[in-house]
Amino acid sequence: MNAQQLAPGTSRVAFFDDEAAAAADPLQAQINDLIARNEKLTENYDSLSENFEKLQESHDELQEGHDDFLSAFKKGKGVTVPGSSNVTLKINGRIHADYWAFPAHDRGTEVLEGGDPQDRFGFRRVRLSFRGDIGDNMLYRFDPEINNPDDWEWRDVLIGWKNLPGNHTLLVGNQKRPYGLDHLNSSNDNIFLERPMVVDYVNEDARRLGVCLYGFSEDEAWNWRAGVYNGDKVQDSDDFYVSDNYQLEVAGRLANTWWWDEHSDGRGYGHWAVSGAVAQCDGDGPRNRADFFVRPEARSTNRWIDTDPIATATWYQVIGVEQVFNVGPLQIVGEAMNVSVQRDVGSNLNFWGAYGYVSYMLTGEHMEWDRESSTLDGVTPFENVVLIDRCCGGTGGGWGAWQVAGRYSFMDSSDGDILGGMGHSATLGLVWYMNPNAKVQFNYIHGWIVDNQNLAAAAIDEAQYDILGVRCLIAF
């Protein structure tokens, strides 16, 4: 039978059932070759599918690891340091660039400053922060201040134990003394450029070597901290405190957020706290810490209110009260602090001061609040400062957040034979929040000082001054 004898519709493949017959037909040879290639391609496809599944599994594992890393980084848990698999590292920083001018002053101001107050601009703070966890129950922190490259200092340098019973953390090292609200606030979050006179007067440079226990209640309504500190600071050029007189002090703070508006997610809150310290001082020694002084809420060269070291002082006590009331964009804050000094020779002394301020967010935001520490937690603008091209033409922008504030401060540092000075200061403030990490602050200060020993020596009754301050701040 030949090809011409096939019935219509009969397959040639079925017909040539032996190799010899198939070889005699070129079309059948091509079909057989295609069938062989198809089988090979099927094998390759199966192999590629298997490899793809393995790659997909690897991709999923990498994606999961990336998501875990990003989540931990955003929460501040940092990254794992090579060689220490149970240690994390987070790096933060801040840059505060200042300009200060003295548009008006009198002869009394020149006496206090030691000459004509000069305008100045530079870096108030250039600080790095290295912090992280060590395992599940320890932490560390190291904050060098490098605004003066020739003489850098440190701020917080500590190790600690966290997750202790009762929501407690124990910190050992150089850390803030718990003297009140404004010094416990981060300098990134304060509304005014410099802290009130009484705050810096009582707690100059804030940090001391010590051991402090921190805690808060389960509902975050209460928090507390108490510690033992050395009264002298070693954050400048000294690496050790060297003395047989330790000048120790016990200090603490008890705080209560008595109102927290859950419905507005904390746009309304109320707070009060008390703080205090009992300190022993070496009134006859060269490093006597019964020495209280402060600048005029600006970056002057000298401290314009200054008791000088109080000779024969043996003990002093600090007591402070504070309150915060916040309703949406409106915030009202006040603090008062008192210092009592006992001396072996001469009468005991009493110094005190207070401040109060009112601030208002013109763009409607609010000052955020950290209930675990009872401190300010910054501002998140409704819109950041941007200027971009619109997809449909033209440009679009955001104005950021704007805040106005007014503060009055008072400090009485004169009692008995100590004439440190009595100061008054009124400040108007304007803050432009460009985004949660950057802002520009403007302060205009009018102040006057009386009852000062340097003014008395120059036969001058009063010093009056006006000061302008501007700060560009970035925190990351």
Side-chain angles (χ1 to χ4, degrees):
M1 181 180 292
N2 56 33
Q4 285 77 7
Q5 295 174 307
L6 288 172
T10 302
S11 170
R12 296 178 63 92
V13 177
F15 175 76
F16 293 108
D17 54 359
D18 60 86
E19 294 183 1
D25 191 311
L27 178 59
Q28 184 63 40
Q30 293 178 14
I31 292 175
N32 290 347
D33 182 57
L34 289 174
I35 292 174
R37 291 185 180 184
N38 179 67
E39 293 176 349
K40 184 66 175 178
L41 287 173
T42 301
E43 293 177 1
N44 291 339
Y45 173 79
D46 292 340
S47 177
L48 288 172
S49 296
E50 183 178 353
N51 290 335
F52 176 78
E53 291 177 357
K54 292 180 179 179
L55 287 173
Q56 186 65 45
E57 291 176 0
S58 298
H59 173 269
D60 292 342
E61 291 178 359
L62 288 172
Q63 184 65 48
E64 183 179 356
H66 172 268
D67 292 343
D68 290 343
F69 169 84
L70 190 60
S71 176
F73 190 82
K74 287 182 177 180
K75 292 178 180 178
K77 295 182 178 179
V79 297
T80 300
V81 178
S84 300
S85 59
N86 66 333
V87 177
T88 62
L89 170 65
K90 181 182 179 182
I91 302 176
N92 295 96
R94 68 190 69 183
I95 300 174
H96 298 184
D98 284 14
Y99 169 74
W100 291 96
F102 300 82
H105 65 275
D106 58 11
R107 173 59 184 158
T109 303
E110 294 181 2
V111 169
L112 298 176
E113 180 68 353
D116 182 10
Q118 300 294 300
D119 296 353
R120 61 203 67 201
F121 50 88
F123 293 106
R124 175 69 170 89
R125 297 177 181 92
V126 180
R127 189 178 307 169
L128 296 174
S129 178
F130 304 89
R131 66 185 77 181
D133 297 327
I134 305 173
D136 296 328
N137 66 333
M138 290 193 68
L139 59 89
Y140 69 92
R141 182 167 177 173
F142 172 51
D143 296 0
E145 174 63 68
I146 56 175
N147 65 330
N148 182 355
D150 295 329
D151 186 21
W152 68 275
E153 304 174 355
W154 62 73
R155 293 296 181 259
D156 291 287
V157 183
L158 53 87
I159 59 174
W161 290 262
K162 60 178 185 174
N163 300 326
L164 299 177
N167 299 319
H168 282 95
T169 299
L170 180 67
L171 301 183
V172 179
N174 208 54
Q175 55 190 299
K176 285 187 175 182
R177 296 182 292 186
Y179 275 22
L181 172 66
D182 204 276
H183 245 316
L184 292 179
N185 291 337
S186 169
S187 59
N188 293 326
D189 299 327
N190 274 336
I191 297 173
F192 298 91
L193 273 70
E194 295 295 324
R195 304 184 193 274
M197 288 186 292
V198 64
V199 172
D200 268 342
Y201 178 87
V202 173
N203 197 8
E204 184 262 339
D205 278 343
R207 295 168 177 85
R208 300 292 189 273
L209 285 172
V211 180
C212 188
L213 183 68
Y214 301 73
F216 60 90
S217 61
E218 289 291 345
D219 61 0
E220 298 183 337
W222 294 87
N223 66 81
W224 50 87
R225 59 186 76 185
V228 180
Y229 303 84
N230 174 252
D232 203 358
K233 62 178 182 176
V234 294
Q235 65 195 47
D236 297 315
S237 58
D238 297 331
D239 52 356
F240 284 93
Y241 175 79
V242 180
S243 175
D244 289 335
N245 189 320
Y246 288 4
Q247 298 196 91
L248 295 180
E249 65 175 277
V250 177
R253 176 180 186 243
L254 175 65
N256 174 232
T257 302
W258 56 269
W259 172 49
W260 178 262
D261 187 12
E262 296 283 357
H263 296 292
S264 64
D265 195 25
R267 282 179 57 85
Y269 52 85
H271 153 86
W272 66 263
V274 294
S275 58
V278 177
Q280 186 269 338
C281 44
D282 185 8
D284 297 321
R287 303 184 69 154
N288 173 23
R289 294 316 304 160
D291 185 6
F292 305 97
F293 46 82
V294 67
R295 291 184 173 93
E297 299 182 346
R299 300 311 293 175
S300 59
T301 299
N302 291 341
R303 271 74 168 181
W304 294 1
I305 296 178
D306 190 352
T307 64
D308 292 329
I310 300 174
T312 74
T314 55
W315 293 89
Y316 69 84
Q317 298 80 39
V318 178
I319 185 68
V321 294
E322 61 191 77
Q323 69 82 33
V324 178
F325 185 71
N326 194 96
V327 181
L330 175 67
Q331 183 169 97
I332 303 172
V333 175
E335 280 193 84
M337 306 184 82
N338 186 88
V339 183
S340 300
V341 182
Q342 291 81 49
R343 298 188 289 183
D344 284 341
V345 178
S347 61
N348 296 336
L349 305 168
N350 193 76
F351 312 123
W352 75 282
Y355 75 90
Y357 74 74
V358 178
S359 68
Y360 189 81
M361 299 295 307
L362 298 174
T363 44
E365 295 84 352
H366 73 288
M367 296 294 299
E368 297 170 16
W369 185 253
D370 185 339
R371 287 192 287 172
E372 289 187 10
S373 62
S374 284
T375 56
L376 293 180
D377 201 22
V379 171
T380 302
F382 291 151
E383 61 178 18
N384 295 333
V385 175
V386 293
L387 186 64
I388 58 176
D389 293 328
R390 296 183 182 272
C391 61
C392 55
T395 59
W399 286 95
W402 290 81
Q403 182 182 38
V404 294
R407 179 177 73 186
Y408 169 74
S409 294
F410 169 78
M411 184 67 234
D412 184 357
S413 182
S414 296
D415 188 27
D417 58 331
I418 302 298
L419 296 178
M422 180 183 295
H424 303 260
S425 180
T427 303
L428 293 177
L430 176 67
V431 188
W432 179 24
Y433 298 88
M434 306 181 74
N435 57 55
N437 302 95
K439 64 182 179 181
V440 181
Q441 298 169 272
F442 306 88
N443 282 183
Y444 195 89
I445 305 167
H446 175 71
W448 60 100
I449 297 174
V450 298
D451 291 341
N452 177 273
Q453 57 189 346
N454 294 322
L455 294 177
I460 297 175
D461 293 332
E462 182 181 64
Q464 290 201 38
Y465 53 87
D466 289 346
I467 304 175
L468 171 66
V470 182
R471 173 173 297 162
C472 296
L473 181 156
I474 294 176
F476 56 90

